[in-house]
Amino acid sequence: MTKTDSSATSELKTVGFTPFLYRSDQPLFHVCRGVPIADALAQASDLLFLAKSLAVDAAYAQDSDRHAWAAHYLTTMSKAVIDDVVKVLTRRPVQSSSTAGQ
């Protein structure tokens, strides 16, 4: 992993390209564009914590389908947020036309 400028990283925001929860081969939801990545990752962490708790409940309780499905949806949402942040962190800078041919 490369070292990044923390002030530049703190200004990065989600791009909003990542869909999740598909129905009939079309995404029902997308990650919102323009959320600071620190806030987006904090939200993903909260969602994953809740999903973990629900998965534990589902493992030990009878008739726990609702716990398992809730955990599934929370992890799907979390993955989309993290994938969107990764797109921001790994995108290449846009080259200007004057430097593209050099």
PDB file of all heavy atoms in Angstrom, residues 69-100:
ATOM      1  N   TRP A  69     -31.520 -12.952   6.904  1.00  0.00           N
ATOM      2  CA  TRP A  69     -31.773 -12.055   5.781  1.00  0.00           C
ATOM      3  C   TRP A  69     -31.352 -10.633   6.101  1.00  0.00           C
ATOM      4  O   TRP A  69     -30.793  -9.934   5.252  1.00  0.00           O
ATOM      5  CB  TRP A  69     -33.235 -12.113   5.349  1.00  0.00           C
ATOM      6  CG  TRP A  69     -33.498 -13.304   4.487  1.00  0.00           C
ATOM      7  CD1 TRP A  69     -34.205 -14.421   4.815  1.00  0.00           C
ATOM      8  CD2 TRP A  69     -33.011 -13.526   3.164  1.00  0.00           C
ATOM      9  NE1 TRP A  69     -34.196 -15.311   3.783  1.00  0.00           N
ATOM     10  CE2 TRP A  69     -33.467 -14.789   2.742  1.00  0.00           C
ATOM     11  CE3 TRP A  69     -32.238 -12.772   2.291  1.00  0.00           C
ATOM     12  CZ2 TRP A  69     -33.175 -15.315   1.494  1.00  0.00           C
ATOM     13  CZ3 TRP A  69     -31.947 -13.297   1.038  1.00  0.00           C
ATOM     14  CH2 TRP A  69     -32.409 -14.555   0.649  1.00  0.00           C
ATOM     15  N   ALA A  70     -31.600 -10.194   7.313  1.00  0.00           N
ATOM     16  CA  ALA A  70     -31.169  -8.839   7.705  1.00  0.00           C
ATOM     17  C   ALA A  70     -29.649  -8.741   7.633  1.00  0.00           C
ATOM     18  O   ALA A  70     -29.105  -7.754   7.127  1.00  0.00           O
ATOM     19  CB  ALA A  70     -31.670  -8.508   9.107  1.00  0.00           C
ATOM     20  N   ALA A  71     -28.951  -9.757   8.114  1.00  0.00           N
ATOM     21  CA  ALA A  71     -27.488  -9.769   8.051  1.00  0.00           C
ATOM     22  C   ALA A  71     -27.024  -9.757   6.594  1.00  0.00           C
ATOM     23  O   ALA A  71     -26.062  -9.059   6.243  1.00  0.00           O
ATOM     24  CB  ALA A  71     -26.931 -10.987   8.779  1.00  0.00           C
ATOM     25  N   HIS A  72     -27.706 -10.512   5.737  1.00  0.00           N
ATOM     26  CA  HIS A  72     -27.363 -10.544   4.311  1.00  0.00           C
ATOM     27  C   HIS A  72     -27.472  -9.147   3.689  1.00  0.00           C
ATOM     28  O   HIS A  72     -26.560  -8.688   2.994  1.00  0.00           O
ATOM     29  CB  HIS A  72     -28.286 -11.519   3.586  1.00  0.00           C
ATOM     30  CG  HIS A  72     -28.255 -11.388   2.104  1.00  0.00           C
ATOM     31  ND1 HIS A  72     -27.191 -11.819   1.335  1.00  0.00           N
ATOM     32  CD2 HIS A  72     -29.149 -10.858   1.244  1.00  0.00           C
ATOM     33  CE1 HIS A  72     -27.442 -11.552   0.064  1.00  0.00           C
ATOM     34  NE2 HIS A  72     -28.630 -10.974  -0.019  1.00  0.00           N
ATOM     35  N   TYR A  73     -28.569  -8.463   3.930  1.00  0.00           N
ATOM     36  CA  TYR A  73     -28.762  -7.133   3.353  1.00  0.00           C
ATOM     37  C   TYR A  73     -27.765  -6.120   3.919  1.00  0.00           C
ATOM     38  O   TYR A  73     -27.252  -5.267   3.189  1.00  0.00           O
ATOM     39  CB  TYR A  73     -30.199  -6.648   3.542  1.00  0.00           C
ATOM     40  CG  TYR A  73     -31.175  -7.393   2.666  1.00  0.00           C
ATOM     41  CD1 TYR A  73     -32.230  -8.100   3.210  1.00  0.00           C
ATOM     42  CD2 TYR A  73     -31.034  -7.398   1.280  1.00  0.00           C
ATOM     43  CE1 TYR A  73     -33.121  -8.789   2.405  1.00  0.00           C
ATOM     44  CE2 TYR A  73     -31.925  -8.090   0.470  1.00  0.00           C
ATOM     45  CZ  TYR A  73     -32.957  -8.775   1.043  1.00  0.00           C
ATOM     46  OH  TYR A  73     -33.834  -9.458   0.236  1.00  0.00           O
ATOM     47  N   LEU A  74     -27.484  -6.199   5.197  1.00  0.00           N
ATOM     48  CA  LEU A  74     -26.515  -5.281   5.791  1.00  0.00           C
ATOM     49  C   LEU A  74     -25.116  -5.496   5.218  1.00  0.00           C
ATOM     50  O   LEU A  74     -24.391  -4.540   4.958  1.00  0.00           O
ATOM     51  CB  LEU A  74     -26.505  -5.424   7.310  1.00  0.00           C
ATOM     52  CG  LEU A  74     -27.744  -4.898   8.029  1.00  0.00           C
ATOM     53  CD1 LEU A  74     -27.735  -5.353   9.488  1.00  0.00           C
ATOM     54  CD2 LEU A  74     -27.820  -3.388   7.939  1.00  0.00           C
ATOM     55  N   THR A  75     -24.728  -6.754   5.014  1.00  0.00           N
ATOM     56  CA  THR A  75     -23.402  -7.011   4.449  1.00  0.00           C
ATOM     57  C   THR A  75     -23.350  -6.589   2.979  1.00  0.00           C
ATOM     58  O   THR A  75     -22.318  -6.097   2.513  1.00  0.00           O
ATOM     59  CB  THR A  75     -22.977  -8.486   4.587  1.00  0.00           C
ATOM     60  OG1 THR A  75     -23.971  -9.334   4.008  1.00  0.00           O
ATOM     61  CG2 THR A  75     -22.768  -8.861   6.039  1.00  0.00           C
ATOM     62  N   THR A  76     -24.442  -6.745   2.248  1.00  0.00           N
ATOM     63  CA  THR A  76     -24.492  -6.297   0.859  1.00  0.00           C
ATOM     64  C   THR A  76     -24.315  -4.785   0.783  1.00  0.00           C
ATOM     65  O   THR A  76     -23.567  -4.268  -0.057  1.00  0.00           O
ATOM     66  CB  THR A  76     -25.828  -6.713   0.213  1.00  0.00           C
ATOM     67  OG1 THR A  76     -25.920  -8.138   0.226  1.00  0.00           O
ATOM     68  CG2 THR A  76     -25.936  -6.226  -1.213  1.00  0.00           C
ATOM     69  N   MET A  77     -24.990  -4.061   1.654  1.00  0.00           N
ATOM     70  CA  MET A  77     -24.863  -2.605   1.688  1.00  0.00           C
ATOM     71  C   MET A  77     -23.443  -2.201   2.072  1.00  0.00           C
ATOM     72  O   MET A  77     -22.854  -1.300   1.459  1.00  0.00           O
ATOM     73  CB  MET A  77     -25.872  -2.018   2.672  1.00  0.00           C
ATOM     74  CG  MET A  77     -27.302  -2.156   2.186  1.00  0.00           C
ATOM     75  SD  MET A  77     -28.615  -1.838   3.399  1.00  0.00           S
ATOM     76  CE  MET A  77     -28.031  -0.533   4.383  1.00  0.00           C
ATOM     77  N   SER A  78     -22.881  -2.865   3.065  1.00  0.00           N
ATOM     78  CA  SER A  78     -21.522  -2.558   3.515  1.00  0.00           C
ATOM     79  C   SER A  78     -20.512  -2.790   2.409  1.00  0.00           C
ATOM     80  O   SER A  78     -19.608  -1.970   2.189  1.00  0.00           O
ATOM     81  CB  SER A  78     -21.140  -3.428   4.718  1.00  0.00           C
ATOM     82  OG  SER A  78     -22.046  -3.254   5.756  1.00  0.00           O
ATOM     83  N   LYS A  79     -20.648  -3.906   1.708  1.00  0.00           N
ATOM     84  CA  LYS A  79     -19.720  -4.218   0.621  1.00  0.00           C
ATOM     85  C   LYS A  79     -19.787  -3.154  -0.465  1.00  0.00           C
ATOM     86  O   LYS A  79     -18.752  -2.728  -0.992  1.00  0.00           O
ATOM     87  CB  LYS A  79     -20.015  -5.592   0.032  1.00  0.00           C
ATOM     88  CG  LYS A  79     -19.037  -5.977  -1.075  1.00  0.00           C
ATOM     89  CD  LYS A  79     -19.341  -7.329  -1.652  1.00  0.00           C
ATOM     90  CE  LYS A  79     -18.364  -7.766  -2.714  1.00  0.00           C
ATOM     91  NZ  LYS A  79     -17.827  -6.770  -3.597  1.00  0.00           N
ATOM     92  N   ALA A  80     -20.979  -2.693  -0.806  1.00  0.00           N
ATOM     93  CA  ALA A  80     -21.120  -1.661  -1.831  1.00  0.00           C
ATOM     94  C   ALA A  80     -20.422  -0.373  -1.411  1.00  0.00           C
ATOM     95  O   ALA A  80     -19.735   0.263  -2.215  1.00  0.00           O
ATOM     96  CB  ALA A  80     -22.597  -1.402  -2.119  1.00  0.00           C
ATOM     97  N   VAL A  81     -20.572   0.020  -0.152  1.00  0.00           N
ATOM     98  CA  VAL A  81     -19.917   1.240   0.335  1.00  0.00           C
ATOM     99  C   VAL A  81     -18.397   1.087   0.253  1.00  0.00           C
ATOM    100  O   VAL A  81     -17.696   1.968  -0.246  1.00  0.00           O
ATOM    101  CB  VAL A  81     -20.360   1.571   1.780  1.00  0.00           C
ATOM    102  CG1 VAL A  81     -19.516   2.690   2.364  1.00  0.00           C
ATOM    103  CG2 VAL A  81     -21.835   1.939   1.810  1.00  0.00           C
ATOM    104  N   ILE A  82     -17.895  -0.046   0.723  1.00  0.00           N
ATOM    105  CA  ILE A  82     -16.444  -0.276   0.700  1.00  0.00           C
ATOM    106  C   ILE A  82     -15.937  -0.337  -0.740  1.00  0.00           C
ATOM    107  O   ILE A  82     -14.904   0.254  -1.074  1.00  0.00           O
ATOM    108  CB  ILE A  82     -16.083  -1.546   1.494  1.00  0.00           C
ATOM    109  CG1 ILE A  82     -16.358  -1.298   2.982  1.00  0.00           C
ATOM    110  CG2 ILE A  82     -14.625  -1.944   1.259  1.00  0.00           C
ATOM    111  CD1 ILE A  82     -16.321  -2.538   3.842  1.00  0.00           C
ATOM    112  N   ASP A  83     -16.659  -1.020  -1.622  1.00  0.00           N
ATOM    113  CA  ASP A  83     -16.253  -1.084  -3.037  1.00  0.00           C
ATOM    114  C   ASP A  83     -16.206   0.310  -3.658  1.00  0.00           C
ATOM    115  O   ASP A  83     -15.315   0.612  -4.449  1.00  0.00           O
ATOM    116  CB  ASP A  83     -17.201  -1.975  -3.834  1.00  0.00           C
ATOM    117  CG  ASP A  83     -17.049  -3.451  -3.522  1.00  0.00           C
ATOM    118  OD1 ASP A  83     -16.084  -3.829  -2.823  1.00  0.00           O
ATOM    119  OD2 ASP A  83     -17.904  -4.231  -3.968  1.00  0.00           O
ATOM    120  N   ASP A  84     -17.168   1.160  -3.314  1.00  0.00           N
ATOM    121  CA  ASP A  84     -17.193   2.516  -3.856  1.00  0.00           C
ATOM    122  C   ASP A  84     -15.990   3.319  -3.351  1.00  0.00           C
ATOM    123  O   ASP A  84     -15.369   4.052  -4.118  1.00  0.00           O
ATOM    124  CB  ASP A  84     -18.501   3.212  -3.478  1.00  0.00           C
ATOM    125  CG  ASP A  84     -18.877   4.304  -4.455  1.00  0.00           C
ATOM    126  OD1 ASP A  84     -19.328   3.962  -5.566  1.00  0.00           O
ATOM    127  OD2 ASP A  84     -18.715   5.487  -4.107  1.00  0.00           O
ATOM    128  N   VAL A  85     -15.649   3.163  -2.088  1.00  0.00           N
ATOM    129  CA  VAL A  85     -14.477   3.857  -1.533  1.00  0.00           C
ATOM    130  C   VAL A  85     -13.200   3.353  -2.203  1.00  0.00           C
ATOM    131  O   VAL A  85     -12.313   4.141  -2.537  1.00  0.00           O
ATOM    132  CB  VAL A  85     -14.405   3.685   0.008  1.00  0.00           C
ATOM    133  CG1 VAL A  85     -13.064   4.149   0.547  1.00  0.00           C
ATOM    134  CG2 VAL A  85     -15.549   4.444   0.675  1.00  0.00           C
ATOM    135  N   VAL A  86     -13.115   2.055  -2.443  1.00  0.00           N
ATOM    136  CA  VAL A  86     -11.940   1.497  -3.120  1.00  0.00           C
ATOM    137  C   VAL A  86     -11.803   2.099  -4.518  1.00  0.00           C
ATOM    138  O   VAL A  86     -10.692   2.409  -4.970  1.00  0.00           O
ATOM    139  CB  VAL A  86     -12.013  -0.047  -3.179  1.00  0.00           C
ATOM    140  CG1 VAL A  86     -10.989  -0.625  -4.141  1.00  0.00           C
ATOM    141  CG2 VAL A  86     -11.815  -0.624  -1.785  1.00  0.00           C
ATOM    142  N   LYS A  87     -12.914   2.311  -5.213  1.00  0.00           N
ATOM    143  CA  LYS A  87     -12.859   2.940  -6.538  1.00  0.00           C
ATOM    144  C   LYS A  87     -12.253   4.334  -6.456  1.00  0.00           C
ATOM    145  O   LYS A  87     -11.504   4.754  -7.332  1.00  0.00           O
ATOM    146  CB  LYS A  87     -14.256   3.005  -7.152  1.00  0.00           C
ATOM    147  CG  LYS A  87     -14.766   1.653  -7.599  1.00  0.00           C
ATOM    148  CD  LYS A  87     -16.203   1.729  -8.055  1.00  0.00           C
ATOM    149  CE  LYS A  87     -16.705   0.329  -8.352  1.00  0.00           C
ATOM    150  NZ  LYS A  87     -18.137   0.261  -8.540  1.00  0.00           N
ATOM    151  N   VAL A  88     -12.572   5.059  -5.400  1.00  0.00           N
ATOM    152  CA  VAL A  88     -12.021   6.400  -5.218  1.00  0.00           C
ATOM    153  C   VAL A  88     -10.523   6.313  -4.940  1.00  0.00           C
ATOM    154  O   VAL A  88      -9.728   7.057  -5.516  1.00  0.00           O
ATOM    155  CB  VAL A  88     -12.721   7.135  -4.053  1.00  0.00           C
ATOM    156  CG1 VAL A  88     -12.017   8.445  -3.733  1.00  0.00           C
ATOM    157  CG2 VAL A  88     -14.177   7.383  -4.381  1.00  0.00           C
ATOM    158  N   LEU A  89     -10.128   5.415  -4.071  1.00  0.00           N
ATOM    159  CA  LEU A  89      -8.731   5.330  -3.654  1.00  0.00           C
ATOM    160  C   LEU A  89      -7.809   4.752  -4.715  1.00  0.00           C
ATOM    161  O   LEU A  89      -6.605   5.008  -4.686  1.00  0.00           O
ATOM    162  CB  LEU A  89      -8.624   4.500  -2.371  1.00  0.00           C
ATOM    163  CG  LEU A  89      -9.297   5.110  -1.140  1.00  0.00           C
ATOM    164  CD1 LEU A  89      -9.225   4.146   0.034  1.00  0.00           C
ATOM    165  CD2 LEU A  89      -8.676   6.448  -0.790  1.00  0.00           C
ATOM    166  N   THR A  90      -8.350   3.982  -5.646  1.00  0.00           N
ATOM    167  CA  THR A  90      -7.491   3.331  -6.641  1.00  0.00           C
ATOM    168  C   THR A  90      -7.611   3.922  -8.029  1.00  0.00           C
ATOM    169  O   THR A  90      -6.933   3.462  -8.944  1.00  0.00           O
ATOM    170  CB  THR A  90      -7.807   1.821  -6.727  1.00  0.00           C
ATOM    171  OG1 THR A  90      -9.179   1.643  -7.084  1.00  0.00           O
ATOM    172  CG2 THR A  90      -7.495   1.126  -5.426  1.00  0.00           C
ATOM    173  N   ARG A  91      -8.440   4.935  -8.209  1.00  0.00           N
ATOM    174  CA  ARG A  91      -8.555   5.512  -9.556  1.00  0.00           C
ATOM    175  C   ARG A  91      -7.296   6.282  -9.897  1.00  0.00           C
ATOM    176  O   ARG A  91      -6.641   6.862  -9.034  1.00  0.00           O
ATOM    177  CB  ARG A  91      -9.794   6.379  -9.697  1.00  0.00           C
ATOM    178  CG  ARG A  91      -9.737   7.665  -8.935  1.00  0.00           C
ATOM    179  CD  ARG A  91     -10.991   8.461  -9.147  1.00  0.00           C
ATOM    180  NE  ARG A  91     -10.970   9.611  -8.249  1.00  0.00           N
ATOM    181  CZ  ARG A  91     -12.005  10.337  -7.972  1.00  0.00           C
ATOM    182  NH1 ARG A  91     -13.168  10.049  -8.493  1.00  0.00           N
ATOM    183  NH2 ARG A  91     -11.907  11.364  -7.170  1.00  0.00           N
ATOM    184  N   ARG A  92      -6.995   6.266 -11.166  1.00  0.00           N
ATOM    185  CA  ARG A  92      -5.799   6.958 -11.656  1.00  0.00           C
ATOM    186  C   ARG A  92      -6.139   8.410 -11.920  1.00  0.00           C
ATOM    187  O   ARG A  92      -7.236   8.721 -12.386  1.00  0.00           O
ATOM    188  CB  ARG A  92      -5.304   6.288 -12.922  1.00  0.00           C
ATOM    189  CG  ARG A  92      -4.837   4.886 -12.632  1.00  0.00           C
ATOM    190  CD  ARG A  92      -4.132   4.315 -13.801  1.00  0.00           C
ATOM    191  NE  ARG A  92      -3.624   3.021 -13.419  1.00  0.00           N
ATOM    192  CZ  ARG A  92      -3.551   1.991 -14.214  1.00  0.00           C
ATOM    193  NH1 ARG A  92      -3.923   2.105 -15.476  1.00  0.00           N
ATOM    194  NH2 ARG A  92      -3.068   0.852 -13.797  1.00  0.00           N
ATOM    195  N   PRO A  93      -5.187   9.305 -11.685  1.00  0.00           N
ATOM    196  CA  PRO A  93      -5.447  10.713 -11.980  1.00  0.00           C
ATOM    197  C   PRO A  93      -5.677  10.919 -13.473  1.00  0.00           C
ATOM    198  O   PRO A  93      -5.095  10.228 -14.304  1.00  0.00           O
ATOM    199  CB  PRO A  93      -4.186  11.441 -11.523  1.00  0.00           C
ATOM    200  CG  PRO A  93      -3.221  10.408 -11.102  1.00  0.00           C
ATOM    201  CD  PRO A  93      -3.887   9.069 -11.144  1.00  0.00           C
ATOM    202  N   VAL A  94      -6.536  11.849 -13.805  1.00  0.00           N
ATOM    203  CA  VAL A  94      -6.818  12.169 -15.200  1.00  0.00           C
ATOM    204  C   VAL A  94      -5.635  12.921 -15.776  1.00  0.00           C
ATOM    205  O   VAL A  94      -5.143  13.896 -15.173  1.00  0.00           O
ATOM    206  CB  VAL A  94      -8.102  13.022 -15.298  1.00  0.00           C
ATOM    207  CG1 VAL A  94      -8.359  13.427 -16.742  1.00  0.00           C
ATOM    208  CG2 VAL A  94      -9.269  12.276 -14.719  1.00  0.00           C
ATOM    209  N   GLN A  95      -5.165  12.471 -16.923  1.00  0.00           N
ATOM    210  CA  GLN A  95      -4.050  13.139 -17.588  1.00  0.00           C
ATOM    211  C   GLN A  95      -4.598  14.231 -18.499  1.00  0.00           C
ATOM    212  O   GLN A  95      -5.582  14.029 -19.191  1.00  0.00           O
ATOM    213  CB  GLN A  95      -3.240  12.138 -18.422  1.00  0.00           C
ATOM    214  CG  GLN A  95      -2.509  11.129 -17.600  1.00  0.00           C
ATOM    215  CD  GLN A  95      -1.678  10.217 -18.491  1.00  0.00           C
ATOM    216  OE1 GLN A  95      -1.834  10.189 -19.702  1.00  0.00           O
ATOM    217  NE2 GLN A  95      -0.776   9.473 -17.883  1.00  0.00           N
ATOM    218  N   SER A  96      -3.911  15.364 -18.487  1.00  0.00           N
ATOM    219  CA  SER A  96      -4.290  16.418 -19.421  1.00  0.00           C
ATOM    220  C   SER A  96      -3.808  16.047 -20.807  1.00  0.00           C
ATOM    221  O   SER A  96      -2.894  15.230 -20.961  1.00  0.00           O
ATOM    222  CB  SER A  96      -3.719  17.763 -18.978  1.00  0.00           C
ATOM    223  OG  SER A  96      -2.308  17.740 -19.102  1.00  0.00           O
ATOM    224  N   SER A  97      -4.375  16.645 -21.816  1.00  0.00           N
ATOM    225  CA  SER A  97      -3.992  16.296 -23.183  1.00  0.00           C
ATOM    226  C   SER A  97      -2.534  16.659 -23.473  1.00  0.00           C
ATOM    227  O   SER A  97      -1.898  16.043 -24.307  1.00  0.00           O
ATOM    228  CB  SER A  97      -4.918  17.001 -24.173  1.00  0.00           C
ATOM    229  OG  SER A  97      -4.871  18.386 -23.993  1.00  0.00           O
ATOM    230  N   SER A  98      -1.983  17.642 -22.763  1.00  0.00           N
ATOM    231  CA  SER A  98      -0.591  18.037 -23.021  1.00  0.00           C
ATOM    232  C   SER A  98       0.398  17.040 -22.430  1.00  0.00           C
ATOM    233  O   SER A  98       1.506  16.914 -22.924  1.00  0.00           O
ATOM    234  CB  SER A  98      -0.320  19.427 -22.433  1.00  0.00           C
ATOM    235  OG  SER A  98      -0.494  19.412 -21.038  1.00  0.00           O
ATOM    236  N   THR A  99       0.007  16.287 -21.378  1.00  0.00           N
ATOM    237  CA  THR A  99       0.928  15.316 -20.785  1.00  0.00           C
ATOM    238  C   THR A  99       0.633  13.894 -21.228  1.00  0.00           C
ATOM    239  O   THR A  99       1.405  12.998 -20.971  1.00  0.00           O
ATOM    240  CB  THR A  99       0.864  15.372 -19.238  1.00  0.00           C
ATOM    241  OG1 THR A  99      -0.460  15.062 -18.827  1.00  0.00           O
ATOM    242  CG2 THR A  99       1.299  16.722 -18.723  1.00  0.00           C
ATOM    243  N   ALA A 100      -0.477  13.666 -21.910  1.00  0.00           N
ATOM    244  CA  ALA A 100      -0.859  12.305 -22.294  1.00  0.00           C
ATOM    245  C   ALA A 100       0.096  11.711 -23.321  1.00  0.00           C
ATOM    246  O   ALA A 100       0.343  10.523 -23.311  1.00  0.00           O
ATOM    247  CB  ALA A 100      -2.291  12.294 -22.828  1.00  0.00           C
TER     248      ALA A 100
END
